[in-house]
Amino acid sequence: MLIKSQDQCMQDLLSRELTPKGVFEGRRTALRKLANAGLILSATGSALNARAQSSSIAPGGGKLAPLVGAHSSVLGAVVMEKPTTYADASSYNNYYEFGTDKGDPVKNAHTLKISPWSIQIEGLVKKPMKITLEDLLKVHPMEERIYRMRCVEGWSMVIPWVGYSLSELINKVEPLGGAKFVEFVSMADPKTMPFVGSGILDWPYTEGLRMDEAMHPLTLLSFGMYGEVLPNQSGAPVRLVVPWKYGFKSAKSIVKIRFLEKMPATAWNKAAANEYGFYSNVNPNVDHPRWSQAGERRIGEDGLFAKKRKTLIFNGYEAQVGQLYAGMDLQKNF
Ligand SMILES: Nc1nc2c(c(=O)[nH]1)N[C@H]1C(S)=C(S)[C@@H](COP(=O)(O)O)O[C@H]1N2
Ligand SMILES: [Mo]
């Protein structure tokens, strides 16, 4: 995991904005908004800059600055693997609201209306609030984090996200003592999302984390990837990224966050409880009932007949998150 300084990050966003090729008007406007929000922050972002003095490698043929002594603010979480290309990460997606084929979201998600946007925060918190996207962007300086992403289906990518730790937002709303779980609710608009209303899942798409998982610094509230605002198919304008769990835990296009005493139901758990547990930590030793989880196909890297990579426990983040599950039976709490 790499974390870039605020200034570097916004410089990259701005320089990308000046790139004429492949940058269409809608993205330019959105990008300008994100950059403006970031620039307001940069005056107060010096603490972060001191903590994470780093820049980043150029992922996926992008225009980012070369790596200069980068280090992570979460020790040991540096991913040295080659990032997936932007083309792959933005065209091979799971976003069932827009269809179930990997190529459906990129084709269909242009209808997603990402402005205006806000997240309703409610439940067991001292300060429930409806926070607009503009205010969300200002909660904390943006960081770039390069994470592995492992889908439960047996494929993986390496993606440079832009965002900040979800804990920064959680601290702002001051959870009450009784809050033990956090639920995330995705947008579900049948007018703009062709598969909402289909029987595939119980819409809206919902996910959940235990409070300590939600507060873990690796858990990212993401607004961008590859130095740009999120494309719609990747969960614009704001999504979760929980890198040690199967991809479906990382809910896209979030409109509501609820703090709860009890473990919430989740969309995939409701659809098939024996296949998709609440925890869904990446684990090569716990097979899916219908397939092995011991290996994975890295998108863009493997040919059709190439050998799979070995899947790592907690997706390679055991040093950071292993202690969250100390003493737990991971076969039972899958
Ligand atoms: N709202 C919503 N969020 C979602 C999904 C979805 O269908 N709807 N798919 C999940 C799954 S299965 C995966 S693997 C990741 C994929 O993220 P990506 O397309 O950005 O790689 O998003 C997750 N978040
Ligand atoms: Mo997935």
Side-chain angles (χ1 to χ4, degrees):
M1 190 191 73
L2 301 171
I3 295 183
K4 287 204 298 186
S5 72
Q6 172 70 11
D7 289 349
Q8 186 60 52
C9 182
M10 288 310 154
Q11 259 170 35
D12 290 342
L13 282 168
L14 288 169
S15 72
R16 287 201 144 228
E17 190 181 15
L18 299 174
T19 307
K21 193 166 124 265
V23 181
F24 52 88
E25 209 45 49
R27 171 165 294 172
R28 282 182 91 109
T29 314
L31 197 55
R32 197 169 293 127
K33 274 194 203 150
L34 184 59
N36 286 342
L39 288 173
I40 294 162
L41 275 173
S42 65
T44 55
S46 49
L48 175 99
N49 291 343
R51 191 169 49 124
Q53 286 274 344
S54 65
S55 59
S56 181
I57 52 175
K63 299 244 180 277
L64 297 178
L67 181 70
V68 184
H71 65 267
S72 163
S73 70
V74 182
L75 286 176
V78 179
V79 170
M80 302 303 251
E81 292 150 49
K82 195 168 144 238
T84 302
T85 64
Y86 182 87
D88 280 341
S90 62
S91 66
Y92 187 94
N93 300 99
N94 276 332
Y95 197 167
Y96 274 25
E97 288 85 336
F98 293 103
T100 55
D101 287 345
K102 295 289 176 281
D104 284 344
V106 65
K107 256 187 292 176
N108 298 333
H110 59 91
T111 55
L112 177 67
K113 195 169 166 269
I114 58 167
S115 177
W117 196 275
S118 59
I119 296 183
Q120 182 77 41
I121 304 178
E122 58 183 44
L124 301 173
V125 288
K126 202 160 147 198
K127 297 181 176 162
M129 60 177 75
K130 184 174 180 175
I131 181 166
T132 64
L133 180 63
E134 289 70 26
D135 287 340
L136 272 170
L137 290 167
K138 292 182 222 162
V139 166
H140 193 77
M142 297 283 166
E143 305 167 10
E144 177 170 86
R145 304 208 188 163
I146 303 179
Y147 285 159
R148 289 179 213 92
M149 224 270 304
R150 168 63 156 83
C151 176
V152 73
E153 297 162 344
W155 53 269
S156 64
M157 297 189 186
V158 175
I159 300 179
W161 303 104
V162 183
Y164 51 74
S165 290
L166 175 68
S167 64
E168 303 292 347
L169 179 62
I170 293 180
N171 287 334
K172 195 176 153 74
V173 299
E174 299 181 31
L176 301 173
K180 303 284 184 242
F181 293 91
V182 190
E183 181 186 41
F184 305 90
V185 183
S186 293
M187 168 64 90
D189 174 20
K191 288 201 287 289
T192 53
M193 299 170 139
F195 278 62
V196 168
S198 75
I200 300 164
L201 288 172
D202 184 9
W203 314 100
Y205 192 98
T206 60
E207 256 309 332
L209 294 172
R210 215 170 55 188
M211 195 64 176
D212 57 346
E213 298 174 326
M215 287 298 290
H216 193 281
L218 284 182
T219 301
L220 191 73
L221 194 65
S222 176
F223 302 88
M225 61 184 216
Y226 301 82
E228 297 182 2
V229 295
L230 289 171
N232 288 0
Q233 64 271 25
S234 300
V238 53
R239 70 173 293 173
L240 201 63
V241 183
V242 192
W244 71 95
K245 293 177 178 285
Y246 290 119
F248 68 86
K249 298 296 294 180
S250 296
K252 294 179 169 183
S253 308
I254 293 169
V255 293
K256 194 183 283 189
I257 299 178
R258 293 169 69 206
F259 290 79
L260 307 166
E261 190 195 336
K262 299 231 164 67
M263 184 183 279
T266 66
W268 279 107
N269 187 253
K270 280 192 275 181
N274 62 321
E275 302 193 351
Y276 309 106
F278 178 82
Y279 285 96
S280 287
N281 293 312
V282 175
N283 191 336
N285 309 313
V286 179
D287 287 338
H288 187 279
R290 291 184 280 131
W291 58 84
S292 162
Q293 292 291 27
E296 67 200 53
R297 197 164 53 87
R298 180 63 54 82
I299 299 301
E301 172 186 82
D302 299 339
L304 204 51
F305 305 103
K307 242 176 81 186
K308 285 186 168 183
R309 279 175 178 258
K310 279 204 170 108
T311 288
L312 305 171
I313 182 97
F314 298 116
N315 206 20
Y317 301 100
E318 184 180 21
Q320 289 76 42
V321 302
Q323 77 280 3
L324 296 178
Y325 310 101
M328 259 176 75
D329 181 342
L330 299 177
Q331 303 276 338
K332 225 159 63 195
N333 299 288
F334 65 90

